[in-house]
Every structure is written in structure tokens, then in C-alpha cells.
Amino acid sequence: MSVLSRILLVFPFVLAGCSTAPSVASHAAERTRSNGTVKAGITPSSVAISPSGKFAYVTNSNGGNILIYPVSGSGKLADRAIASVASGWGPNMIAIDPAGRFAYTADTDSTAVSAFRIDAKTGALAPVKGSPFHAGKNPTFIAITSSGKYAYVSNYGETTISAYSIDADTGALHEVRGSPFESGKAPACLAVDSAGRHLFVANSASNSVSVFDIGADGSLKMIQGSPFRTGSGPFAIALSPSGKYAYVTNSLTTSVSAFSIDGNGKMTAIPGSPYQAGLTPLYVTVDPAGRHVYVVNWLGGVSGYEIDAKSGGLSQLPKSPFETGHAPKSVTVDPANRFVYVTNGGDNNVTAYEISPSGELLFLGR
């Protein structure tokens, strides 16, 4: 195994809290605790906001659970979680289906995906019958099609993607024919376009993104010309709502790459790409309006960018990078495009921000 592969294979376990957090002095959490920051168990890794915007679900990788928080109209999480629900070993990513009926966690320290039914009124989670469902080695990320029919899981410890159909009544997962599908070395984050036509997978140890056609039965077929080259250590990928642009974090550098996407899924680097980010850029997200990109830098801060509507290129927002806690791991924008939530794995908390009209992140309550 190459040195690059060995380094990259550590990342899911860093995210799961099994490695030492970076020794970087940081008092950001103390300064922001009264401004939308709440305690969130042991090594929070990801946040999902319900489609209604009323509940937040936070995975605790070292706690092996999901914490549920009510969300106020002002975007703040409740001071305390109203429930803690056991998940599998090392839950990393949590994803909610578009209808808000089911939630799924990729349990990185296992070979399984946990599934839950969501009570729309109370936000409570109940295990789906048959859960957990089999996946490959070190399942890390989940993507669900906009139709809610199919789910895809990256098996970071292998070179594969597990594909499932979702039972519309129960939320149970059933592997589609041909699953798992080959992608690249250490497949990490993956994303489905809004039309449900293509799946994009960042292959961390292959320095590439694989693009697949999604069949009518949910099966995957790599498109012509795939995989496409990226920067060093691509870890996360996010698509614009239009499906025209893709943004990829290069975790072994300090940059984020931007690509245009044609109707067949082909990726072409945008002139000016890659763009400067912070140290060890990990997660990336695009806001629901398709105006801004936010990148979490594991060694400090969230880099924010404005998207050029014509080219898809990025320009850094004023005051970026924005302050976070210690060892931030993920960044999430709420469905209404008003608030941003960042998990701080080194501080065991989540910080909430308001999005200004210009895209700047403002601590809630400040």
C-alpha cells in the first residue's frame, strides 16, 4: 500500500475520533459557546436537519449514537438533546430521505448501515425492521436520490459502492443487482445530482472522481471517460442544485477544485480551479440556492465562497475563513438556506450560524 493510501485510510477513523485531534491551540469554542454552540456527545461527526427544519440529528462517532435536538425558529439548537438513540459502531455520516420519513447512518467502524423511521411530530427515531443492513468495509458516506428510491454508500476500506433500493413503506434497504460496484481506492464522499441521473464519488487514494449513470433499477454504470482527475486526496464532493457544477476538497493540499458537468455527467475543470482553502479541507457543501460553497478545514475554520452564476468559479467571501471550534469535521446548511451548522470534533459540540445576504457566517445571538 502506498504512503498516500495509508494516510488517507486514517481519515475516517480521525473523523470517528479514533485518532488524536490536531495539537492546535484553539479557544474558539469558549468564545462562541453563548452564541449558538451546544454540547453534542462524544466526537460529533455530522448533522442532518429534517426537511421541516424542526429537528437536528447529530452523529457521535465515539458515542455510537445519534442525538436529537429541537431547532428553534431562530436556528438555535436546544441546549440539551431530547433523546439519544443507539446506532452502529462509529456512525460517521447521517442522511435523511427527501420526504423526511427515514434516516440512515454509515457506521464506519463496521460493515453496516443503520436505518431509522422518523416520527414527524416528535422527531423520535425508531429502528427499521432488519436494521442494521450489510455494507462493505468501513462504510463512511451516504447519498440518497431525490426520489427517495435509492441509497448509495461508500465503502472506504474497499474500492466499492453499495447500492440499495429503499422500501417506500418501511425504509428497509435491499441491495440492487450487481452491488457492490467498483469505484476507486478509498471511496469517500459521494453525491447524486438532483435529477437522479448520475452518482459522483470522490476516490481519496486514487486522486479522482468516478461518475456513474444510475439505472432505472438503481444499478450503476461508470460513464465514458470516468474517473476524472482531481487534486491530491479528494475527500468530499458537493454538487450545485442545478447539477451544472461540482466542488471537490483536496484534503492533502489546501485547495478545493471546481468542475463543470455536462448532460452526460462528464466533468471539466473550471478555469481558475483549484481555489485556496484552509489546512486539510474535508467536507464541502453548496447552499440550496446555489449561491455559496462552504468548506470545513480540519485544522481550522470554514472557508466560504461565492459561486459565479455563469462559470461556476469561486471567489472567497470577505472575512473567510469563518471561526469554528477545534477540529471541525462537517458543515451543513439547513433546507431553508438560513442557517449553517458545524460539528467540532475536538470540542464535542456543534456551532450554529446565520447566513447573511452576502453569504457571511454570523454566530447566532452575537
Side-chain angles (χ1 to χ4, degrees), residues 89-159:
W89 294 349
N92 180 53
M93 173 72 176
I94 183 168
I96 296 175
D97 79 302
R101 298 177 60 207
F102 308 111
Y104 302 89
T105 61
D107 302 327
T108 301
D109 296 340
S110 71
T111 56
V113 175
S114 297
F116 304 87
R117 178 182 290 276
I118 300 173
D119 185 303
K121 292 183 178 180
T122 67
L125 298 179
V128 166
K129 185 178 180 179
S131 178
F133 298 95
H134 178 72
K137 185 178 180 181
N138 305 129
T140 304
F141 289 88
I142 305 173
I144 300 174
T145 59
S146 58
S147 66
K149 289 183 177 180
Y150 302 108
Y152 300 95
V153 175
S154 58
N155 299 310
Y156 197 94
E158 300 178 359
T159 58

Side-chain angles (χ1 to χ4, degrees), residues 55-205:
F55 300 99
Y57 300 87
V58 180
T59 56
N60 285 285
S61 295
N62 270 1
N65 62 6
I66 305 166
L67 297 180
I68 306 171
Y69 295 84
V71 182
S72 72
S74 64
K76 288 187 177 181
L77 305 189
D79 290 338
R80 296 177 181 273
I82 57 174
S84 172
V85 180
S87 184
W89 294 349
N92 180 53
M93 173 72 176
I94 183 168
I96 296 175
D97 79 302
R101 298 177 60 207
F102 308 111
Y104 302 89
T105 61
D107 302 327
T108 301
D109 296 340
S110 71
T111 56
V113 175
S114 297
F116 304 87
R117 178 182 290 276
I118 300 173
D119 185 303
K121 292 183 178 180
T122 67
L125 298 179
V128 166
K129 185 178 180 179
S131 178
F133 298 95
H134 178 72
K137 185 178 180 181
N138 305 129
T140 304
F141 289 88
I142 305 173
I144 300 174
T145 59
S146 58
S147 66
K149 289 183 177 180
Y150 302 108
Y152 300 95
V153 175
S154 58
N155 299 310
Y156 197 94
E158 300 178 359
T159 58
T160 63
I161 304 300
S162 293
Y164 307 88
S165 61
I166 300 175
D167 188 295
D169 294 323
T170 68
L173 300 179
H174 304 282
E175 283 201 76
V176 305
R177 176 179 291 187
S179 178
F181 298 91
E182 285 290 327
S183 181
K185 294 179 181 179
C189 187
L190 65 178
V192 180
D193 64 8
S194 58
R197 294 183 56 202
H198 298 110
L199 176 72
F200 298 76
V201 183
N203 302 307
S204 294

